[in-house]
Every structure is written in structure tokens, then in C-alpha cells.
Amino acid sequence: MAGRVAGKVALVTGAASGLGKATAERLAEEGAAVVIGDIRVEAAQEAAAAISAHGQRAQALKLDVTSEADWIAAVAAAEQTFGKLDVLVNNAGTADGTWVHKLTLERWRQIHAINLDGVFLGIKYGAEAMKRAGGGSIVNISSVAGIVGIAEAASAYCSSKGGVTQLTKATALEFALLKTNIRVNSVHPGYMDTPMLQGVIAAYREPEEARARLTASEPLGHLGEPRDIANAVLYLASDESKFVTGAQMVVDGGFAAR
Ligand SMILES: NC(=O)c1ccc[n+]([C@@H]2O[C@H](COP(=O)([O-])OP(=O)(O)OC[C@H]3O[C@@H](n4cnc5c(N)ncnc54)[C@H](O)[C@@H]3O)[C@@H](O)[C@H]2O)c1
């Protein structure tokens, strides 16, 4: 049986870890050739090797999403290796729980450079390749913090993820007007059990208490698994979602429903 994204070529950023890694694995399982882009090139190579070991197609490359030159090279590499680009998952991101009164302007800019500028550059250069391929699907990983304010996620993270939410909607409308056949949607994870969240929890004075509190803040009563996000991205990457653009897909255990 053909996979749900058979024949497609997908580039996933931040795919050496957590949600991006699970997404790359899920897309490959369903027939896509995947490009694993990450600033940590060795970890990206390991993730790609694990996919290749299952007989699926994967390539790793160094991609710092804040670098315009890296984006140009990454998109060219995807086209050179696999012939085209159909799917882009702008997943790379960084968390920072610093409260606004303690945040430096430099750190504010770093967070926005990765979480928001990186998505802008991905859309800009990814869409050029998708036009050459006759269309495509861009999935931007925002957060529940891109919909509601969360004191613990903190202001710069919320601000950058809110920017991703709105950038998604505006570009979805632009590409629709331009008749590019490119769809753009955002996915909004709640608290997901990944190295990022584990790092956030470890930074608390009482990590066990923090984990219990974050878990209890999820109406479904548990943290999300990376595959929960991977399945949502798979739907948006596939032609099953051909009438879906500019949408916010919330995958959060009910967190933002209150
Ligand atoms: N884990 C959660 O609870 C949660 C919740 C909501 C949203 N998110 C978002 O999901 C995405 C993935 O998060 P995760 O939990 O898997 O995190 P993670 O830390 O496990 O993985 C993030 C990956 O991004 C890479 N990365 C960091 N900076 C980069 C850069 N400049 N260029 C390229 N790659 C870079 C890292 O090397 C890492 O492999 C992020 O955008 C995050 O904000 C996560």
C-alpha cells in the first residue's frame, strides 16, 4: 500500500531531536524522502542513519535556521539529492523561561531570530523550491504559547510563537492569492515530553514538583508524546489536507481550550 506522503520530499528543521525527529521518522514511514536539517550536524546524521536503516530515504545536513546562506544551501541540497521539495516543516526552536524584567535585549533578539526569523527564511526559500515543484505544504510549529499567554513560557517565547501564528495566516493568504498551490498551516503543541521540556523542567529549583505541575495543567492529565505532533504534521503534509490552509491545528491535551 502506498504511504500517505509517498513520492514527496520533506525538509524538517530541528529534526535531530524531539518533535522534529519524530516528525521526520513519521513522514519517512509514510513514504516521503526526508531531509534532516539541524544546527547539530552529528545528531542530524544519527537521526538520518536511523531512518535509512529502515530502508527509507533520508539525508542530514547542517542548517542553522537563522542563516540565510544555510537556507539557500539546504533547499538546493534537497532539490539536488531528491529532485524537488514538497513539504517544509519549520520546527527548530528554542525555549526560554526568563521573565521579561530579567530578559536582555540580546537574548530577546536571539529567541526571535531562531523561533521567528528562522520560520520567515524557511517560508521564503522553501516556497521558491515549491513553486518549481508545482506546489507544496509548509507546516510551522508554533505552540499553545502562540495562542495564549503563559507566564512560565515567558514573554519572548510567547511573542516569537505568536509571530509564527500570524506569519502562517498571512503567508497562507498571500500564497492563495498568488495561486502558487502552496498551503501554510501552524501546529500548536501543548507540553510535550521532549529534551526541550526536560531542560525547562530541570532548570526549576524543584524539578519533580515542576513536572507534576505542568502535567496537571494539561486537561487530559498527561504530557504529549512527540508522535502526537508527528501525526498532525503528517496530515497537514499530505494531500488529505488539500483544502486546509491558514489553519491553527492545536495538539495540546486541551490546554488552550480553557
Ligand atoms: N516540547 C514542548 O513542550 C513544545 C511545546 C510547544 C512547542 N514546541 C516547539 O516545538 C519545536 C520542537 O521542540 P522540541 O521540544 O522538539 O525541542 P528539542 O530541543 O528537543 O529540539 C529542538 C531541535 O532544534 C534544533 N535547533 C535549535 N536551534 C536551531 C537552529 N538555530 N537551527 C536549526 N536547528 C536548531 C536543536 O539542535 C534541536 O535538535 C520548537 O519550535 C518548540 O518551540 C515544543
Side-chain angles (χ1 to χ4, degrees), residues 212 214-224 252-254:
L214 296 185
T215 303
S217 75
E218 287 288 2
L220 286 183
H222 58 86
L223 301 178
D252 71 340

Side-chain angles (χ1 to χ4, degrees), residues 115-116 119 140-142 160-168 186:
N115 291 359
L116 185 54
V119 176
N140 298 325
I141 306 301
S142 176
S160 63
K161 292 297 186 178
V164 172
T165 305
Q166 287 300 93
L167 177 63
T168 300
S186 54

Side-chain angles (χ1 to χ4, degrees), residues 231-248:
N231 283 324
V233 175
L234 172 63
Y235 166 70
L236 292 171
S238 78
D239 295 338
E240 294 161 20
S241 58
K242 65 183 170 52
F243 197 52
V244 181
T245 197
Q248 289 179 199

